[in-house]
Amino acid sequence: MIKRTSKKYMKELLKNNPDWSVLDIGCGRYPWEEAQTLCDIVDHRELHCKKRFVQCEASVTPFMDGEFDFVVASHITEHVASVDKFLKEITRIGKRGYIEVPTPLFDNLTHGNRTEHLWWLYFDDVNNELNYNPKIVTMNEQILPTQLTTMEMFFRNSMVLELYWEDNIQYKKLNPHLEWEQKVNIWPEKDIANKTITPTDVLPEQDTFDPVGFIGFDIHEAFGSHQANENT
């Protein structure tokens, strides 16, 4: 079973089940505090000396079948070489868990994701199924990572896909050869109909980035003025 959820609800679920054994897989430098066991392909054991840390590849772990009551997989699925192997691994070692990935739009718009992220992931609400296909670069990067925290206050539901699973995960790989010319014409080339789009396609980088022009207004200035008006 897999369905939509929210990070907030997952945190509450863990809070209400303090005896659960929790793994944060692909934990990076900032793991979930609820996890007693952490794993990452990079050795972060010095940063997490008070936790059990295991250095390993996310799709091939040394853990036992059903070892964990809950597996956190936050912003790792889009990185793995094989989504199929990764999903089979987390359902092997865990009884339930949480998956968070960027939505395709924000994945494209954010600087730094172009080469590190390999997959776009979606959720089929009709069939309760996780779908994925190879990432296709379709536009210039616009958003700096330092801006994401502020933007998340307003646009989190548009920025990430949040999923909860139990026992197993229904999933399907979609056809990567999407008929882009029939959906939307956002490529600058005039011969879009003749262009073969592959996951390795990239567009020229922009020379400058104007956050005010992109968002439409300066968030700090707008809310600073709002606060000033409330105080008068």
Side-chain angles (χ1 to χ4, degrees):
M1 180 277 292
I2 186 169
K3 63 180 182 180
R4 290 183 187 269
T5 187
S6 69
K7 182 178 180 180
K8 180 180 180 180
Y9 178 75
M10 292 293 96
K11 291 279 188 174
E12 286 294 323
L13 181 64
L14 293 178
K15 181 180 179 180
N16 294 331
N17 294 275
D19 296 331
W20 278 1
S21 174
V22 181
L23 167 70
D24 189 336
I25 191 166
C27 65
R29 299 173 61 88
Y30 305 103
W32 280 36
E33 60 182 12
E34 296 86 354
Q36 305 92 4
T37 303
L38 313 176
C39 81
D40 199 283
I41 196 170
V42 178
D43 188 355
H44 291 305
R45 69 186 73 242
E46 292 185 359
L47 297 175
H48 313 306
C49 56
K50 295 183 180 181
K51 305 270 189 176
R52 174 194 178 196
F53 183 88
V54 178
Q55 184 178 8
C56 64
E57 205 279 319
S59 299
V60 185
T61 72
F63 305 119
M64 297 183 296
D65 292 358
E67 182 172 341
F68 301 100
D69 296 300
F70 195 92
V71 177
V72 177
S74 182
H75 292 270
I76 178 64
T77 314
E78 67 271 23
H79 289 268
V80 299
S82 170
V83 175
D84 175 70
K85 290 182 179 179
F86 177 68
L87 296 179
K88 288 179 179 177
E89 182 66 2
I90 62 174
T91 53
R92 179 187 73 80
I93 62 178
K95 301 172 184 176
R96 61 185 67 81
Y98 172 67
I99 295 174
E100 180 176 317
V101 294
T103 59
L105 176 60
F106 265 80
D107 184 59
N108 251 219
L109 290 175
T110 305
H111 282 275
N113 293 345
R114 178 161 291 178
T115 57
E116 292 186 3
H117 295 179
L118 306 178
W119 307 99
W120 278 350
L121 296 101
Y122 321 83
F123 189 67
D124 182 340
D125 292 283
V126 175
N127 298 307
N128 291 321
E129 180 181 76
L130 177 63
N131 294 163
Y132 68 96
N133 61 254
K135 175 176 178 174
I136 300 171
V137 176
T138 59
M139 62 189 69
N140 290 332
E141 297 165 322
Q142 301 281 353
I143 303 171
L144 300 176
T146 53
Q147 296 173 302
L148 293 177
T149 301
T150 301
M151 297 189 71
E152 188 173 345
M153 296 169 55
F154 306 95
F155 308 117
R156 178 170 174 80
N157 289 341
S158 300
M159 295 169 65
V160 295
L161 175 64
E162 303 164 294
L163 301 171
Y164 172 67
W165 62 268
E166 287 184 5
D167 300 325
N168 58 74
I169 299 175
Q170 295 76 36
Y171 64 92
K172 180 174 66 178
K173 184 177 182 181
L174 302 177
N175 182 358
H177 302 293
L178 303 178
E179 297 177 355
W180 285 97
E181 66 277 8
Q182 297 180 10
K183 295 186 176 182
V184 62
N185 183 3
I186 52 180
W187 287 80
E189 291 88 352
K190 295 181 180 180
D191 60 337
I192 179 66
N194 299 320
K195 181 175 178 61
T196 301
I197 301 174
T198 69
T200 56
D201 281 330
V202 296
L203 293 176
E205 295 286 345
Q206 287 183 255
D207 294 329
T208 60
F209 170 68
D210 177 9
V212 177
F214 174 67
I215 298 175
F217 63 94
D218 188 314
I219 291 176
H220 299 289
E221 180 179 340
F223 280 82
S225 300
H226 176 70
Q227 186 67 40
N229 291 334
E230 286 187 337
N231 295 332
T232 59

